[in-house]
Amino acid sequence: MNTIEIDDELYHFIAGQTQRIGESANDILRRILLNKQSVAQQPAASAVVAENSKSSQKVFDILSKQDLQAELSVVGRFLIILSALSRAHKQDFAQVLDIKGRNRVYFGRNEADLLEAGSSTNPKQIPNSEFWVITNSNTTRKKMMLTEAALKLGYSAEEAETIRDFL
C-alpha cells in the first residue's frame, strides 16, 4: 500500500461517496475511477460536495468506520462523529444547541459560551463546523449527547443507537 496526501475538500468528496459503513477510501476511489464512464464525464468534485451537503444526507453517507478505528481516543472519535453529523445536516445542526444537562451546557457557538457555562468543560471546536462541544464528560455522557443529537436531527431511535455505538 502507498500513502497519498489529499486536501480537505477532496477528502470530504471521497467520504461523501461512501455507499456502506466500513467502505475504505481505496474501495470508493476504485469504484469511482474504474466505473465504465470515463473520469471526464464525472461531475466536478466541488459540485458533488455541494450536492452532498443537502440536509437529506445521512451521517452514514459520510462517516467511515475506518476513520473511527484510526482514532484511538474517545474524544477524537466523539469529534469525528459530531463533525460528520454537522456536515450531513448543515442547515439543521444548530438544533444541538438545545441539548443541555441539568446544570451544564453541552454545545455552543463559541468557546466562551461553554467556558461561561461551567468550570473544567474543556471545550473543543467540532471539526469543519462553527460549533463547539464540551469534552470532559465521561463516555456514557458523550454517548447520550450523540443519541440526543441524532434524534434532534431526525434519525430513528435505532439509527441514533448505531451512531452512539460508533463511539
mmCIF file of all heavy atoms in Angstrom, residues 24 30 38 61 67 87 166:
data_model
loop_
_atom_site.group_PDB
_atom_site.id
_atom_site.type_symbol
_atom_site.label_atom_id
_atom_site.label_comp_id
_atom_site.label_asym_id
_atom_site.label_seq_id
_atom_site.Cartn_x
_atom_site.Cartn_y
_atom_site.Cartn_z
ATOM 1 N N SER A 24 -13.713 1.407 2.450
ATOM 2 C CA SER A 24 -12.446 2.129 2.525
ATOM 3 C C SER A 24 -12.349 3.170 1.415
ATOM 4 O O SER A 24 -13.040 3.090 0.389
ATOM 5 C CB SER A 24 -11.273 1.151 2.407
ATOM 6 O OG SER A 24 -11.192 0.640 1.087
ATOM 7 N N ARG A 30 -11.660 3.276 -6.274
ATOM 8 C CA ARG A 30 -11.675 2.230 -7.303
ATOM 9 C C ARG A 30 -13.033 2.206 -8.008
ATOM 10 O O ARG A 30 -13.112 2.145 -9.227
ATOM 11 C CB ARG A 30 -11.370 0.872 -6.667
ATOM 12 C CG ARG A 30 -11.241 -0.264 -7.661
ATOM 13 C CD ARG A 30 -10.762 -1.533 -6.974
ATOM 14 N NE ARG A 30 -9.438 -1.406 -6.429
ATOM 15 C CZ ARG A 30 -8.318 -1.521 -7.149
ATOM 16 N NH1 ARG A 30 -8.389 -1.757 -8.431
ATOM 17 N NH2 ARG A 30 -7.152 -1.398 -6.577
ATOM 18 N N SER A 38 -16.166 7.409 -18.312
ATOM 19 C CA SER A 38 -14.829 7.981 -18.195
ATOM 20 C C SER A 38 -14.816 9.003 -17.066
ATOM 21 O O SER A 38 -15.829 9.586 -16.712
ATOM 22 C CB SER A 38 -14.410 8.649 -19.507
ATOM 23 O OG SER A 38 -15.152 9.827 -19.702
ATOM 24 N N ASP A 61 -23.627 8.275 5.229
ATOM 25 C CA ASP A 61 -23.033 8.522 3.921
ATOM 26 C C ASP A 61 -21.646 9.160 4.048
ATOM 27 O O ASP A 61 -20.886 9.165 3.089
ATOM 28 C CB ASP A 61 -23.920 9.460 3.089
ATOM 29 C CG ASP A 61 -25.296 8.887 2.833
ATOM 30 O OD1 ASP A 61 -25.420 7.652 2.736
ATOM 31 O OD2 ASP A 61 -26.255 9.682 2.733
ATOM 32 N N ASP A 67 -12.094 5.621 9.562
ATOM 33 C CA ASP A 67 -11.643 6.838 10.239
ATOM 34 C C ASP A 67 -11.760 6.691 11.747
ATOM 35 O O ASP A 67 -10.891 7.119 12.494
ATOM 36 C CB ASP A 67 -12.473 8.046 9.802
ATOM 37 C CG ASP A 67 -12.202 8.468 8.374
ATOM 38 O OD1 ASP A 67 -11.155 8.091 7.822
ATOM 39 O OD2 ASP A 67 -13.060 9.170 7.810
ATOM 40 N N ARG A 87 -21.770 18.020 9.049
ATOM 41 C CA ARG A 87 -21.663 18.091 7.585
ATOM 42 C C ARG A 87 -22.928 17.550 6.922
ATOM 43 O O ARG A 87 -23.379 18.083 5.913
ATOM 44 C CB ARG A 87 -20.433 17.319 7.098
ATOM 45 C CG ARG A 87 -19.136 18.021 7.419
ATOM 46 C CD ARG A 87 -17.941 17.451 6.684
ATOM 47 N NE ARG A 87 -17.883 16.023 6.558
ATOM 48 C CZ ARG A 87 -17.201 15.202 7.367
ATOM 49 N NH1 ARG A 87 -16.560 15.693 8.405
ATOM 50 N NH2 ARG A 87 -17.178 13.905 7.147
ATOM 51 N N PHE A 166 -20.918 4.068 17.502
ATOM 52 C CA PHE A 166 -19.672 4.358 16.802
ATOM 53 C C PHE A 166 -18.593 4.834 17.782
ATOM 54 O O PHE A 166 -17.423 4.713 17.506
ATOM 55 C CB PHE A 166 -19.871 5.436 15.736
ATOM 56 C CG PHE A 166 -20.525 4.968 14.479
ATOM 57 C CD1 PHE A 166 -21.312 5.845 13.754
ATOM 58 C CD2 PHE A 166 -20.370 3.678 14.008
ATOM 59 C CE1 PHE A 166 -21.924 5.436 12.566
ATOM 60 C CE2 PHE A 166 -20.971 3.263 12.834
ATOM 61 C CZ PHE A 166 -21.746 4.146 12.119
#
